[in-house]
Amino acid sequence: PALPADLPLGQISAAAGRGAYDYVCAAIDDAQAGRIRAIVTAPLNKKSMHAGGVDYPGHTEILAERSGTRDFAMMLANDEL
């Protein structure tokens, strides 16, 4: 779905936080169903997620729970790593 036209840019937003969670979940569903082969994420605004009723520290924990993974960690990659 498209982003709402009235989405406040640069501000805490419950709608944006809930949307971020819903988009991550949709990507996970697509990956688990084999419709996509990878997920790339960017930082999520935790305050907006909490305002939207999402009680996760970030997408790493969402990915772990939805995939049934108990032993997990976040990995960063860049030219220096």
Side-chain angles (χ1 to χ4, degrees):
L3 294 173
D6 62 348
L7 190 65
L9 299 177
Q11 298 177 25
I12 302 301
S13 164
R18 187 65 199 195
Y21 173 77
D22 291 342
Y23 284 121
V24 168
C25 290
I28 294 167
D29 293 346
D30 284 346
Q32 289 179 321
R35 291 186 290 269
I36 59 174
R37 295 176 56 186
I39 298 171
V40 177
T41 63
L44 302 176
N45 186 301
K46 280 101 175 133
K47 288 183 180 180
S48 287
M49 286 177 43
H50 289 161
V54 178
D55 192 26
Y56 289 93
H59 59 275
T60 303
E61 294 78 12
I62 298 167
L63 286 158
E65 182 174 295
R66 291 183 62 93
S67 66
T69 302
R70 293 178 190 252
D71 186 17
F72 61 92
M74 183 186 335
M75 183 183 93
L76 301 174
N78 63 33
D79 292 339
E80 296 176 13
L81 295 177

